[in-house]
Amino acid sequence: NPGMEAPERIDTRDLSADVPFGLATWSMLGRLWGVKTTSIDAMLTIASAMLEMDCFANGLSAEDLGIPHLQPEAVCAFVK
């Protein structure tokens, strides 16, 4: 078998952690700053259905990150 084997179950770390805490964070930042994240939102919707959980709601919020009122430039300066 030359290819990689698929996981035995759908609820893997790649979906259950990386999607809500990675992609959902980017989606939230896009909404916060008025940037469309259409493809990310589509992936979040699909992952939410697959995992039977709301990946949008289970992701990190601006408050979780301590940046609810920061503009993109301020966040860039903060992480440098």
Side-chain angles (χ1 to χ4, degrees):
N1 185 0
M4 293 176 35
E5 291 187 27
E8 293 181 18
R9 50 178 233 206
I10 197 73
D11 187 14
T12 65
R13 183 182 159 274
D14 295 326
L15 285 177
S16 64
D18 294 350
V19 171
F21 295 107
L23 290 179
T25 303
W26 288 112
S27 176
M28 175 274 304
L29 290 173
R31 286 189 309 279
L32 183 66
W33 297 328
V35 176
K36 291 183 180 182
T37 57
T38 308
S39 297
I40 289 173
D41 292 348
M43 289 186 280
L44 284 164
T45 299
I46 292 168
S48 292
M50 291 169 59
L51 296 170
E52 298 178 345
M53 68 181 270
D54 185 346
C55 291
F56 291 94
N58 290 326
L60 296 173
S61 69
E63 290 77 16
D64 293 333
L65 297 174
I67 60 166
H69 303 297
L70 295 181
Q71 293 300 312
E73 299 81 15
V75 173
C76 288
F78 177 73
V79 296
K80 283 187 178 181

